[in-house]
Amino acid sequence: MSHSESESAVAVGDQVSAPTITIDGQVYTLESLGQQGREQLQNLRVTDQELQRLQDQLAITQTARNTYARILAEVTKTVTPVK
């Protein structure tokens, strides 16, 4: 399952009796996935959290870069170019 598929294809159900998960349009109980399936689900969740953290960090870095570029543009307004 690719990351883009995981965002749209995986949703945890809210049934009280047995927790469920929807994968590629099919509903499964968490128990039916077995240990390996639950481990992979946890890995997917951790990976999604890390992707979000990295996207947030990228947004912060891009904002800082844009600010530095804007300040540099202001500085160069008072400097005579050599060519």
Side-chain angles (χ1 to χ4, degrees), residues 4-48:
S4 62
E5 289 173 329
S6 69
E7 289 178 1
S8 62
V10 177
V12 175
D14 57 359
Q15 296 175 348
V16 176
S17 59
T20 61
I21 184 163
T22 302
I23 302 172
D24 296 331
Q26 300 292 316
V27 179
Y28 304 90
T29 64
L30 290 178
E31 188 63 29
S32 72
L33 297 178
Q35 182 66 27
Q36 183 181 20
R38 289 189 304 274
E39 287 173 3
Q40 294 310 309
L41 180 60
Q42 180 60 27
N43 290 340
L44 186 60
R45 287 176 175 156
V46 168
T47 302
D48 284 345

Side-chain angles (χ1 to χ4, degrees), residues 20-80:
T20 61
I21 184 163
T22 302
I23 302 172
D24 296 331
Q26 300 292 316
V27 179
Y28 304 90
T29 64
L30 290 178
E31 188 63 29
S32 72
L33 297 178
Q35 182 66 27
Q36 183 181 20
R38 289 189 304 274
E39 287 173 3
Q40 294 310 309
L41 180 60
Q42 180 60 27
N43 290 340
L44 186 60
R45 287 176 175 156
V46 168
T47 302
D48 284 345
Q49 290 172 350
E50 181 64 7
L51 283 168
Q52 184 60 56
R53 186 190 72 77
L54 291 169
Q55 289 169 346
D56 293 345
Q57 188 65 40
L58 181 59
I60 291 167
T61 304
Q62 188 64 52
T63 299
R65 186 199 184 284
N66 292 344
T67 300
Y68 300 147
R70 183 182 50 79
I71 293 169
L72 181 59
E74 288 295 318
V75 168
T76 60
K77 287 181 180 178
T78 62
V79 177
T80 305

